[in-house]
């Protein structure tokens, strides 16, 4: 019996050690980016430290999102992205699938969306950019309500 308890405890610790990042956002704000068939221009999204940036594939075919710069040490959360030891992160999204990241520092982070085009039978790359501002640049709901009060 002790052997089973020890094995179960070891298994739980091993699983917990593999979970390196939380899956929730600190600020509660989610910025959505939809990858669609008709999209042709670069995508730009702006958020603050702790916001969840979520990409959703609205196409009928898979897409690949790649961050070439080393960003793994800047992340507060990661959902459905890979690349733990390489620095950059990427994901392949099937139709109607999502992936998200939360950034822990202000920065401008470029990324690439690779899409297979059936009209040209080739891969097409679209550039995108995430602009993350410092957290104090975005007042919280509590700050907004306090600003509206007069008197003690």
């Amino acid at each position: 019996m002790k052997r089973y308890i020890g094995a179960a405890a070891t298994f739980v610790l091993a699983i917990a050690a593999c979970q390196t990042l939380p899956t929730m956002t600190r600020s509660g704000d989610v910025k959505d980016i939809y990858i669609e068939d008709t999209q042709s221009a670069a995508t730009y999204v702006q958020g603050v430290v702790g916001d969840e940036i979520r990409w959703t594939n609205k196409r009928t075919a898979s897409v690949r999102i790649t961050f070439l710069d080393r960003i793994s040490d800047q992340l507060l959360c990661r959902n459905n992205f890979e690349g733990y030891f390489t620095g950059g992160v990427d994901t392949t999204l099937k139709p109607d699938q999502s992936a998200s990241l939360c950034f822990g520092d202000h920065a401008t982070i470029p990324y690439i969306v690779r899409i297979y085009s059936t009209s040209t039978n080739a891969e097409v790359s679209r550039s995108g950019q995430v602009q993350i501002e410092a957290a104090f640049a975005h007042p919280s709901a509590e700050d907004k309500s306090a600003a509206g009060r007069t008197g003690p």
Side-chain angles (χ1 to χ4, degrees):
M1 184 66 163
K2 287 184 181 181
R3 183 176 0 155
Y4 294 116
I5 293 173
T10 302
F11 178 75
V12 169
L13 287 174
I15 295 297
C18 292
Q19 304 299 321
T20 58
L21 295 170
T23 58
M24 300 180 345
T25 176
R26 288 184 177 183
S27 69
D29 289 339
V30 177
K31 309 295 182 184
D32 285 303
I33 300 170
Y34 297 105
I35 302 167
E36 300 176 298
D37 289 322
T38 58
Q39 183 179 12
S40 60
T43 302
Y44 174 82
V45 65
Q46 188 172 6
V48 298
V49 170
D51 281 354
E52 178 181 349
I53 311 299
R54 181 173 48 207
W55 290 262
T56 302
N57 181 9
K58 295 292 187 180
R59 295 177 44 87
T60 57
S62 295
V63 298
R64 184 163 191 81
I65 302 168
T66 305
F67 287 83
L68 299 175
D69 295 342
R70 180 174 177 79
I71 64 166
S72 59
D73 57 348
Q74 299 175 26
L75 299 178
L76 297 175
C77 74
R78 174 193 327 228
N79 181 21
N80 205 17
F81 271 93
E82 300 172 352
Y84 289 94
F85 301 110
T86 60
V89 297
D90 63 358
T91 187
T92 299
L93 298 177
K94 295 177 182 175
D96 294 320
Q97 192 176 27
S98 295
S100 60
L101 298 170
C102 306
F103 295 92
D105 200 5
H106 61 91
T108 300
I109 306 122
Y111 65 91
I112 298 170
V113 178
R114 292 184 172 102
I115 300 167
Y116 183 77
S117 171
T118 55
S119 62
T120 62
N121 288 332
E123 187 177 80
V124 176
S125 295
R126 298 180 187 161
S127 61
Q129 189 175 28
V130 176
Q131 176 69 43
I132 302 297
E133 301 294 333
F136 57 82
H138 183 64
S140 68
E142 189 174 293
D143 295 338
K144 290 177 186 174
S145 65
R149 285 189 230 141
T150 57

